[in-house]
């Protein structure tokens, strides 16, 4: 399975109706609701905000909504396309601005499915790898070598706070966790604190 790395957007027009698909990374069904509500706030004049989402390491949790479109003409076709993509932890919100011409049930199914296909063409993805998030406390004397170790184990620094010491929040693939902890233990000789966060 893959995950998306950043928000992406695509737009199609069918019979003067605009369909804007926004794909966002999410990690839970609660985050799906927040993402859809955010999109609603960004597009307060939209006729409909339909969504489809796939969540979980195995991609087995789903969410979709027709948002007042006829039943099974919007959320379900969008979800079926998304399920076939091999991407998880993704929410796609499809904003529709009605153009004055009714599309019929078949037209709606095609429009919402095509909207998902369009945004999937432009999303950037990476393989889903189980990661561990760590908070590391170290002194300035270790920082240069610390950065080299982080790079060698492909850890991703999320946040750095520089005060009397340095507090770094990072994520590392579980497969590289042991290497990172061992290398930092050798470097700090007990003077680098590592906590899972």
């Amino acid at each position: 399975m893959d995950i998306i790395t950043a928000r992406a957007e695509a737009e199609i027009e069918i019979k003067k109706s605009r369909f804007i698909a926004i794909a966002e990374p999410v990690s839970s069904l609660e985050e799906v609701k927040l993402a859809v509500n955010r999109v609603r706030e960004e597009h307060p004049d939209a006729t409909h905000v339909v969504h489809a989402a796939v969540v979980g390491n195995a991609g087995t949790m789903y969410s979709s909504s027709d948002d007042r479109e006829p039943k099974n003409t919007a959320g379900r076709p969008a979800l079926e396309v998304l399920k076939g993509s091999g991407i998880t932890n993704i929410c796609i919100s499809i904003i529709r601005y009605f153009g004055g011409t009714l599309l019929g049930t078949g037209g709606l199914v095609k429009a919402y499915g095509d909207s998902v296909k369009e945004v999937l063409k432009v999303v950037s993805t990476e393989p889903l790898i189980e990661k561990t998030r760590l908070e590391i406390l170290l002194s300035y004397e270790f920082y240069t070598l610390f950065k080299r170790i982080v790079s060698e184990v492909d850890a991703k620094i999320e946040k750095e706070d520089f005060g009397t010491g340095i507090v770094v929040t990072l994520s590392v693939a579980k497969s590289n966790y042991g290497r990172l902890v061992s290398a930092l233990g050798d470097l700090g000789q007990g003077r680098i604190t590592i906590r899972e966060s």
Side-chain angles (χ1 to χ4, degrees):
M1 303 270 340
D2 287 338
I3 56 171
I4 69 168
T5 57
R7 180 174 162 138
E9 192 170 315
E11 182 175 338
I12 60 174
E13 188 174 307
I14 299 166
K15 294 185 179 175
K16 297 186 179 170
S17 276
R18 287 174 61 210
F19 293 85
I20 305 163
I22 298 172
E24 295 182 75
V26 292
S27 57
S28 67
L29 293 175
E30 291 75 32
E31 281 188 28
V32 169
K33 288 178 193 167
L34 295 172
V36 173
N37 288 335
R38 228 180 1 258
V39 169
R40 279 187 204 286
E41 288 170 12
E42 292 169 13
H43 295 270
D45 300 329
T47 315
H48 304 279
V49 178
V50 167
H51 84 274
V54 176
V55 179
N57 288 349
T60 53
M61 292 186 285
Y62 310 116
S63 175
S64 67
S65 159
D66 292 319
D67 192 38
R68 302 179 327 278
E69 290 281 29
K71 188 174 181 179
N72 295 330
T73 62
R76 172 160 276 153
L79 181 60
E80 290 308 315
V81 172
L82 186 54
K83 281 163 66 174
S85 71
I87 300 172
T88 189
N89 293 345
I90 181 173
C91 175
I92 298 181
S93 301
I94 304 136
I95 301 103
R96 181 184 183 193
Y97 288 98
F98 184 60
T101 304
L102 295 173
L103 302 180
T105 55
L108 287 171
V109 167
K110 184 172 180 355
Y112 283 104
D114 287 351
S115 294
V116 172
K117 288 176 188 169
E118 282 303 307
V119 79
L120 287 175
K121 288 178 188 175
V122 297
V123 297
S124 58
T125 61
E126 66 182 19
L128 172 64
I129 297 168
E130 279 197 70
K131 295 181 179 176
T132 302
R133 177 179 276 155
L134 301 172
E135 189 176 79
I136 299 168
L137 290 75
L138 65 150
S139 60
Y140 286 88
E141 66 185 291
F142 299 122
Y143 187 67
T144 303
L145 289 172
F146 165 77
K147 292 280 276 199
R148 185 178 305 152
I149 291 167
V150 165
S151 175
E152 287 170 1
V153 298
D154 288 327
K156 181 180 174 189
I157 292 178
E158 297 172 3
K159 185 177 165 191
E160 293 178 302
D161 289 322
F162 298 91
T164 52
I166 304 169
V167 180
V168 179
T169 304
L170 58 75
S171 58
V172 63
K174 286 202 173 180
S175 58
N176 287 339
Y177 173 83
R179 275 179 57 208
L180 175 66
V181 170
S182 174
L184 292 179
D186 291 345
L187 172 65
Q189 299 294 311
R191 292 181 292 154
I192 295 176
T193 305
I194 303 168
R195 292 194 294 247
E196 288 194 28
S197 65

